[in-house]
Each structure stands twice: as C-alpha cells, then as structure tokens.
Amino acid sequence: MISYRDVGSLDGATQAEVEALLERSRAITRTPEDRAQVAAWERLAADCERIGFPHLTTTARLSQYHLLSNGGETSEAIAAFVRLMQVVHRHRDLIDPRKTEIVLGEISTAVITAVEDPTVPVERIEKMIDLVDQEVRLQGTDRAGVHIARAALSCSRGDARGTREWLERYRAEGSEGWRADEPSVLQIDVPLLARFDPAGADEVLVRGARANGLALDRAGEAPIGDDSIALWVLHAFLLRRQGRTAEADRIADVLLAARPAAGLAREAPPEQLVPVLENHPEAALVVVDHTLRNVLFDGTTWEVIAALARDRVRADPDGLEGGLLRRLADESAAAQDARGATRVHASELADFWWAGLPDAGPGTDPRPIDPHRWGNPDARAELILAAGWLDRAGWLSFHDAPRALSPRYRQLLEDSMELISAGDDAEADALAERLRAEGERLHCAATRVNVPLFRGARDADHGDIEGLVTGCLQAQAEFLAVHESLPDFVPQSLDGLMRATAQLAVSEPGIGWQRIEELISAQQRIVAETGRTPATSLQLAHLEIAAHLGQGDKVREQAEVVLATLAEESRQVDAVNVLLTVVRLTAEQAPDIAEAVARNAAAAGDEVQSRAGTAWLCWFAHRRGAPGAAEELRRVVDSVGGDVEALGPVPGWVVLDVVAPTGGDLPGLVEALLTDAEPLSGESLGLLVSAGAVLRDQAPADPRSREFQDRAVAITRGLDERNGDTRWSTWLEQRQVRVGSVEARR
C-alpha cells in the first residue's frame, strides 16, 4: 500500500504510475460536471485501489459524492459516501489527515441533503452517521458535526425532543469547528429547532448574531453586509412564523432598500426569503422565478415547493401554476411524514404554508392530468414550468435552461444534429417538426435556429442547394429573433453555414440572384444588429460574387477588404481557412494576391492547412512552368497515402491540374476526390472538367468522362442564363483547352 507520505520518494515505475493517476485526477476536474465525470472518478478510484493508493481513492470518492449530491442523485450520493467512509476506515493511516477531516466534516451537510429526499430510508441515513461517528471516536476528534447530523434526522422524523437533545449535545461539545455563534452554523441548527419552536429558534439566532456584532433586533440602524443577508432573512422568516408580520415586513423593506431581489435570491434560502417578501409581490416573484429555474420537482425540498406554491396561489388563486405546486408540496410532505412515521410536515403545511389560502378551485384541480406524466419527474417539471414560468422567462439559452429540464435541452441539441443523418426527406421533415414543437414548448432558443440550420445542412449533403438556401434563410431569421438568448456555439454554426451556403448558391444555376441577395442582406442585419457574428464571412460572400462574375477590379478591391476585416477579427474565425478561401477566389483574377496569401497560409496553418497552402503554391508554380512543381505536390499527396481529406481545404481540380503530368494512379486519386466532393453540384464544376480529362486519358472505357463533360456544359449554360452573359461558357472552353478535355481533343 502507498501512503500519502511516500509520494515523491517511490521507486521509478511506481512513482510514474502514481504521478499518472494524480495527473488524471487533475484532468478530470477540468471536464464538465456530469455523468461522464462521475464515471471517470469511478474508473480512477478502481485504478487507485488496484495499485493500493487510498489517499487518491478518497479524493475520487469524495468528488464523486459531491457530483451526485449536487446533481440531485441523493441515493447514489449516499452510496458513494458509504464507499468513501469504508476507504477511510480501512486505510486511515495512509490518507492525509487533512483529507480525512474534510470527509468527516461532510456528515451534517450529507444528512441534511439526504433527509430532504423521502425515498431514502431512515436506516441508510443512520448507517451513514454511524460510520462517521465510529471514525470520529477512533480519531478522538469532536463529534459536533455528528450531533448536528443526528439532530437533522430527528427533525425529519418529527422528533422534537430528540432534535433539541442532539442540538444541546453539539453546543456542549464546544467545538472550534462548530462554534454555536458562527453565522454558517446558525443557518444550519436554527432551522432545525424552528420546526418545533420558532420563537425559541429566533432567540438562539438573535443571541448568536449578537455575539458576532450583528443586532438583528435593530433593523435599519446599520448597513446590511453581504455576509449577513442570510441571517436577516432567517430572522424575518422566524418573525413571520410567529405571526409578527409587521416586524418581518420592516426587515423586508430594509433588505430591498439595500439589495435588489435578484441579489437577495442568491444569498438566502428561498423557503425563507419568499415568505419574508410576501407583501412585496413583485420582488417575491423575482425570487420565485429564480428558484423555479434552479429547483428539481422530484419530491425533495418540500419546503421550497411549499413557499413557491403559496406565492403563486396568493397571486392567482385559480391559476394552474399554484395548484400544481401545491399538489407537489402536499405529496412531498406526505412522503416525508410516511418515512418518519409522523405528521409534522402535513401539520406545518396546514398551520403555516397554507394558512389563509383559499382551497384550489375546480378549474385548477390538477387531478385530470395524466398520472403517468405527473409520476414522471421530467414530465411533471415541464407541466409545472409550462403553467407560468416558461412564459415569464421567454426564450432560453442552454445556460439559462431550468435545472429540472436541462437534460431535455441537451437532448434537443443532440436530436437536432441527427437531422443531418436523417434517412430521407420524410424522416427529416418528421424529426424537424417534432423538434420545432418541443423547442416551442420548452422555449429553447437554440432549437429555433438549429432545426433549419441542420435541416439545410442535410439538404446540402444530398445535393439540394435550394433546400440549403431555404434552411439558411430560416436560420438567419430565427437568429435575429432570439439572438440574445443563444449560446456562443449557435452564431458560430450559423456563420459557418452562411459561408458555405453563399459559396454553393453562387455556383448553382438554379439559385436566383434574388435568393442570394436575401442571404447577404440577412447576414448584414445580423452583423450590424447583433454583434455576435464576425463580418469576415459577409465580406467573403461579396468576394464570392465578384469572383464568380469575373469582376477583376472588384475582386482585388474586395480581397483587400476581406484581409483587412480578418486582421480585426482573427480571433473570431479560423483565420487560415479564410486565407485559403481568399486564395481560391483570387487565383484566376488576382494571382499575385492569391499566391502571397497562399504562402502566408502555408506558413501559419496547422499541418492540414499547410498542405492546402502548399498545394496552391505548387499550382501557381505549375502555371508558370516552374520545374518540379508537379513532383512536389505528388510527394505531398503520397505522404498522406492518397487521403484527400488530409490535403485540407483545397479544390480537387487544383490537385489534378498539377499532378496529372506525373502519371501514377490518377484514376484512384480521381475516385477519392470525387467521393470527397459528393454531391457534385455547380461548386464542383472545375473538378468535373479535370476529372473528366483524367478519365479520358487513363480510363477511356469509363463512361463518366462523357457524363462529366455533359454536366459541365449544362452547368455553364445554366450559369450564363442566370447571369445574363457568356462568361462561364467561355471559361469552360478555355479550361478544356488547358486540361486537354474530350471536346478540346475533338
């Protein structure tokens, strides 16, 4: 076994293994706090146990417990805590005592969390406390935290006498770590006593606060500091529990004068703050909505749900929102009572939380709701939030999603991405309609943009450029409507889609100029009005049009605009990919600019981008008749085993034009380039001509040579018809001569 003291002085192989495990633990902490991280800690714990390193096993189990507890997985969190304590029991001498102290100090919080979940049996909670108590006794440390934990368990069982006795024992302990007058401790033990004796609990609170120089009985005479807000709220809450409403309202006035309601919501428990603000309904609603965003509707935190229900019923006695919350509070309190064989929770509802409220009217009685939906915590959460909160919240980003529904929002994103791989149009349409409806119900702003965005991307993959344009236009319109509620990845995705759409639409004869202008006008509005997308892509679209129309002077002018814009926005876009796009668009009409930019791209890009830049430089050299250009590019192609994707964002015709004179397996390279370019649309015009020429020379029996030629002719004629000139037919004739195509040889 490896002690924490031995780290740094082990033999080479063992030390290396320990260091690797420590580095893994650091890496895990940098990952998202989700189920994947829970599993990562489990694997790390198993590996630590395999080599006998209990100190790091403790870290893994403790982190796992925190994740599960914070995620509302109470039962699993308890199981993780028990496994953690078993490690401490078996290997206490090998674990840093400071780590052990942290573990043992978790017991009160762990129990207070556990008792909120009525599905956790009392026996499991008692076992957890006993494990810690045993370890505390063995180590000879104070047992104050254990006493607090037993008081919390007694409180949940309606045992007033046991609660008082355990609290008295903790105070008698005289623990430095659990000072009875510490604000954090007061916020733990006072609410336990308050369930049975609000007045006595308030006396304890006021006395403890006075020991810290805080006069809770003299509201308004001194400024309220951030560190005292929770104590002021607790005092006002206990006053209201005693029926001393005017005094509670006075404190509420002082609190609201010192802090906005949103600030108070972050500093004090909602089950105390909402009743304190009862006579300030607008401020109370701010706290209620903050809480609804963060609470789970899984039958735990019954007092929080009761506070929310009281506020909503008072605001709208006939409203569904209050009725549903009230039903959930009743059920949760009943479950608490059933577990503890008591009626203390139901009595507290009747005597305080529902005091003065009218009975729920027949129009708001939630009993007609499908019991299967109500019995499912996710469906129940949606029912409750849709009864009021979602309308008040408006459109939501993934970061603002209510905690109870956050898995649904993540699933919406994953399902939206499945649009790209939908089997056929009918399947894609059905999925898109389902996602739109669900996104509308959940007010998910990203779904409004993602559905047309990914639907359009799927159309592009199937050669439907009109569908791509339609999807992009719809995504742009949705983005303008809800951009303030979108996470950063959405405008980034839309920017990429717009750039690709402009390129494909300009080169596709079937897309009219009016549609293209709509794309550009929408993007101009997005750039000007939202500030959330870079202008570089917009400027590239203008360059795309100028290059397509053969406007040489404008190509030069617009290329300079793009490069100047890129210099300002280089951190917002993939700068080297932009440079490579500039090369493509200026290669024919401004080769001096293009070659200089290609040289920069080859020098500044990553390995793949550098290959693309090199390919372009070989193309320019080849056009000048420079010796060795073809052989150099052939070496680049061979270095990646003919994997054309590894050549980066360089058009396939560039590669074929240069390497064709070198011979070799050109048909194989053609197949790879054609596969990479699928579907072959107007944007693939250059590749069609070059591939047709290669097949004509090296695979004369392949019928695609003629097919590619015919398709190229059809595309250029369509472009001339749309554009009102003969530029592209002329281009085709000149290119046929250059690459030695079928028609040129005839």
Side-chain angles (χ1 to χ4, degrees):
M1 299 295 288
I2 301 169
S3 168
Y4 75 97
R5 304 180 192 86
D6 297 333
V7 175
S9 60
L10 300 166
D11 64 66
T14 304
Q15 183 64 40
E17 195 166 15
V18 167
E19 289 294 341
L21 291 171
L22 289 169
E23 178 54 36
R24 269 177 63 189
S25 73
R26 290 188 286 269
I28 292 171
T29 62
R30 296 191 291 269
T31 63
E33 295 183 352
D34 54 17
R35 274 285 176 179
Q37 191 182 118
V38 172
W41 286 122
E42 181 66 34
R43 291 191 295 271
L44 181 68
D47 289 341
C48 291
E49 289 169 358
R50 175 179 53 79
I51 71 166
F53 188 25
H55 175 75
L56 191 55
T57 306
T58 302
T59 297
R61 294 294 183 203
L62 181 60
S63 300
Q64 193 177 54
Y65 158 73
H66 281 148
L67 277 172
L68 292 166
S69 181
N70 293 338
E73 305 286 345
T74 308
S75 184
E76 292 186 50
I78 290 175
F81 191 87
V82 170
R83 291 195 298 271
L84 170 62
M85 287 306 305
Q86 290 168 344
V87 175
V88 172
H89 277 314
R90 289 195 300 266
H91 307 295
R92 65 180 63 87
D93 293 336
L94 303 174
I95 303 168
D96 190 331
R98 293 170 296 183
K99 179 78 69 177
T100 302
E101 184 179 356
I102 292 172
V103 171
L104 300 179
E106 289 284 343
I107 186 58
S108 60
T109 303
V111 170
I112 289 171
T113 300
V115 298
E116 289 181 340
D117 187 344
T119 65
V120 179
V122 168
E123 294 74 19
R124 288 193 70 194
I125 302 174
E126 287 178 329
K127 178 181 179 181
M128 185 166 62
I129 299 173
D130 290 342
L131 284 170
V132 175
D133 197 2
Q134 177 185 349
E135 188 63 30
V136 166
R137 290 173 184 270
L138 287 170
Q139 298 205 14
T141 56
D142 71 68
R143 301 171 62 207
V146 172
H147 296 331
I148 286 279
R150 295 198 189 280
L153 183 58
S154 296
C155 182
S156 73
R157 303 172 74 172
D159 181 0
R161 179 178 177 180
T163 302
R164 290 191 179 92
E165 288 179 352
W166 287 116
L167 289 176
E168 288 170 2
R169 291 181 68 173
Y170 121 74
R171 293 190 184 99
E173 191 83 16
S175 167
E176 280 301 311
W178 284 91
R179 289 173 53 90
D181 56 358
E182 280 291 327
S184 59
V185 176
L186 289 169
Q187 292 170 61
I188 293 174
D189 69 345
V190 167
L192 299 176
L193 181 59
R195 173 144 299 139
F196 311 105
D197 184 6
D202 196 32
E203 289 178 8
V204 172
L205 173 63
V206 172
R207 186 168 58 250
R210 188 178 296 118
N212 283 280
L214 181 62
L216 293 179
D217 52 352
R218 299 169 65 180
E221 295 186 15
I224 293 180
D226 290 342
D227 57 349
S228 65
I229 287 176
L231 295 182
W232 280 106
V233 170
L234 178 55
H235 176 49
F237 172 69
L238 293 175
L239 291 173
R240 190 169 287 281
R241 286 289 304 268
Q242 298 172 63
R244 297 161 64 179
T245 305
E247 295 172 75
D249 286 343
R250 170 61 179 152
I251 294 175
D253 293 338
V254 173
L255 286 167
L256 289 172
R259 303 287 187 280
L264 297 176
R266 292 189 292 268
E267 300 293 339
E271 67 271 26
Q272 299 167 13
L273 181 56
V274 172
V276 167
L277 299 178
E278 188 159 288
N279 291 328
H280 298 79
E282 292 184 2
L285 182 57
V286 171
V287 180
V288 166
D289 282 346
H290 174 84
T291 307
L292 285 168
R293 186 191 300 275
N294 293 288
V295 76
L296 297 175
F297 302 91
D298 57 358
T300 64
T301 60
W302 71 275
E303 282 181 290
V304 174
I305 300 299
L308 301 176
R310 179 176 178 83
D311 177 87
R312 295 293 78 211
V313 172
R314 291 183 80 248
D316 183 5
D318 296 324
L320 181 61
E321 184 178 23
L324 292 172
L325 287 165
R326 185 170 180 174
R327 172 175 178 167
L328 180 57
D330 282 331
E331 292 179 356
S332 302
Q336 289 279 354
D337 283 342
R339 178 187 57 185
T342 180
R343 282 197 49 80
V344 65
H345 302 87
S347 296
E348 189 170 326
L349 284 179
D351 296 343
F352 177 69
W353 295 107
W354 304 158
L357 295 185
D359 292 335
T364 61
D365 190 339
R367 282 177 296 181
I369 291 173
D370 182 348
H372 295 291
R373 291 190 69 194
W374 184 255
N376 180 295
D378 290 342
R380 181 195 307 142
E382 183 180 338
L383 284 171
I384 293 172
L385 292 170
W389 183 85
L390 282 169
D391 286 337
R392 294 193 297 272
W395 289 97
L396 302 166
S397 76
F398 287 97
H399 304 301
D400 295 328
R403 181 186 176 199
L405 296 179
S406 60
R408 295 274 299 282
Y409 283 74
R410 289 193 296 271
Q411 191 64 50
L412 275 172
L413 173 61
E414 294 174 9
D415 290 351
S416 296
M417 296 177 68
E418 288 184 6
L419 281 166
I420 297 177
S421 58
D424 54 32
D425 286 345
E427 180 183 338
D429 289 340
L431 177 57
E433 186 55 37
R434 178 179 71 79
L435 292 170
R436 284 192 193 97
E438 189 168 1
E440 184 83 19
R441 285 201 317 272
L442 298 181
H443 289 211
C444 180
T447 301
R448 288 183 60 170
V449 180
N450 283 341
V451 169
L453 190 153
F454 290 124
R455 182 68 171 85
R458 179 198 176 275
D459 287 337
D461 285 347
H462 288 74
D464 181 2
I465 309 305
E466 174 58 36
L468 169 64
V469 172
T470 298
C472 188
L473 285 168
Q474 291 175 350
Q476 287 173 317
E478 296 291 1
F479 182 86
L480 279 166
V482 296
H483 69 90
E484 293 180 349
S485 300
L486 293 171
D488 288 341
F489 71 82
V490 176
Q492 292 168 2
S493 298
L494 179 60
D495 187 63
L497 180 74
M498 186 272 167
R499 187 186 303 178
T501 303
Q503 177 182 345
L504 292 168
V506 167
S507 62
E508 188 66 26
I511 307 300
W513 284 111
Q514 181 180 352
R515 298 282 279 167
I516 296 170
E517 288 300 326
E518 289 175 11
L519 281 171
I520 293 177
S521 296
Q523 196 68 16
Q524 286 173 332
R525 286 189 59 197
I526 287 173
V527 171
E529 296 179 18
T530 73
R532 299 199 64 192
T533 59
T536 299
S537 295
L538 178 62
Q539 299 300 343
L540 277 174
H542 288 299
L543 179 58
E544 191 85 46
I545 294 172
H548 175 83
L549 295 177
Q551 299 169 337
D553 291 342
K554 191 169 183 179
V555 166
R556 287 181 170 278
E557 177 185 337
Q558 189 61 32
E560 296 297 339
V561 172
V562 170
L563 294 174
T565 306
L566 177 62
E568 298 176 356
E569 299 181 341
S570 59
R571 294 185 179 181
Q572 297 175 253
V573 296
D574 187 328
V576 178
N577 274 348
V578 171
L579 293 178
L580 291 168
T581 303
V582 171
V583 175
R584 174 178 63 82
L585 295 174
T586 57
E588 296 279 2
Q589 299 167 66
D592 54 328
I593 293 177
E595 190 167 1
V597 173
R599 192 168 290 107
N600 290 338
D606 59 25
E607 187 176 3
V608 175
Q609 293 167 328
S610 181
R611 292 192 194 104
T614 300
W616 272 114
L617 292 173
C618 290
W619 185 81
F620 289 117
H622 181 67
R623 288 192 68 178
R624 291 195 303 271
E631 288 72 15
E632 181 180 354
L633 183 51
R634 184 84 226 194
R635 284 194 296 272
V636 173
V637 174
D638 292 342
S639 72
V640 294
D643 179 5
V644 296
E645 287 189 17
L647 297 177
V650 59
W653 59 265
V654 170
V655 179
L656 288 180
D657 284 4
V658 179
V659 302
T662 67
D665 182 20
L666 288 179
L669 180 59
V670 167
E671 293 298 337
L673 290 169
L674 290 172
T675 301
D676 188 53
E678 283 289 348
L680 297 172
S681 62
E683 192 270 335
S684 304
L685 180 58
L687 178 60
L688 289 171
V689 178
S690 295
V694 169
L695 293 176
R696 167 68 178 80
D697 290 341
Q698 296 203 5
D702 193 324
R704 289 178 299 171
S705 175
R706 182 68 193 190
E707 291 173 8
F708 290 167
Q709 170 66 23
D710 291 343
R711 193 183 307 184
V713 170
I715 290 172
T716 55
R717 286 175 178 171
L719 291 173
D720 286 349
E721 182 178 350
R722 182 192 69 177
N723 299 345
D725 56 26
T726 59
R727 162 176 158 70
W728 281 99
S729 293
T730 302
W731 173 90
L732 179 59
E733 292 174 0
Q734 295 172 343
R735 181 153 181 79
Q736 286 169 342
V737 172
R738 185 187 307 166
V739 301
S741 69
V742 175
E743 292 297 321
R745 295 179 183 224
R746 288 180 179 175

